[in-house]
Amino acid sequence: MKWNFWIRQFHRWTSIIFTVIVAAIFITLGVGKEPVQWVYFLPLFPLALLVFTGLYLFALPYAARWRNEQSTTSEA
């Protein structure tokens, strides 16, 4: 259970980092300054981490349900 807690916390903090990076890019564009080209690639790494942790968190209830069904059928 502790593992799920840490993945959830990591997902939350990574989403904050991703949001800050994207907001900073939009703010610099709104000010009228064109950032260097590599700045546009900065959100991709947190986004990839968010995809993996999000898929894991999405699958948790289904895996728990599957485990419960497996344990009840093995008891009978």
Side-chain angles (χ1 to χ4, degrees):
M1 209 50 150
K2 200 122 169 114
W3 187 251
N4 295 338
F5 171 78
W6 285 111
I7 289 179
R8 189 174 308 275
Q9 288 297 320
F10 180 77
H11 184 80
R12 287 179 184 158
W13 282 104
T14 308
S15 67
I16 292 171
I17 292 169
F18 173 76
T19 305
V20 167
I21 291 172
V22 171
I25 291 172
F26 275 106
I27 289 170
T28 57
L29 287 173
V31 171
K33 296 181 182 177
E34 182 71 27
V36 227
Q37 193 66 31
W38 61 267
V39 172
Y40 294 111
F41 294 112
L42 283 177
L44 293 180
F45 182 66
L47 184 62
L49 293 175
L50 284 171
V51 166
F52 290 122
T53 56
L55 288 173
Y56 175 79
L57 292 172
F58 178 78
L60 273 179
Y62 300 106
R65 190 179 317 149
W66 179 76
R67 265 187 259 127
N68 287 339
E69 288 175 2
Q70 294 297 323
S71 66
T72 56
T73 57
S74 65
E75 292 174 3

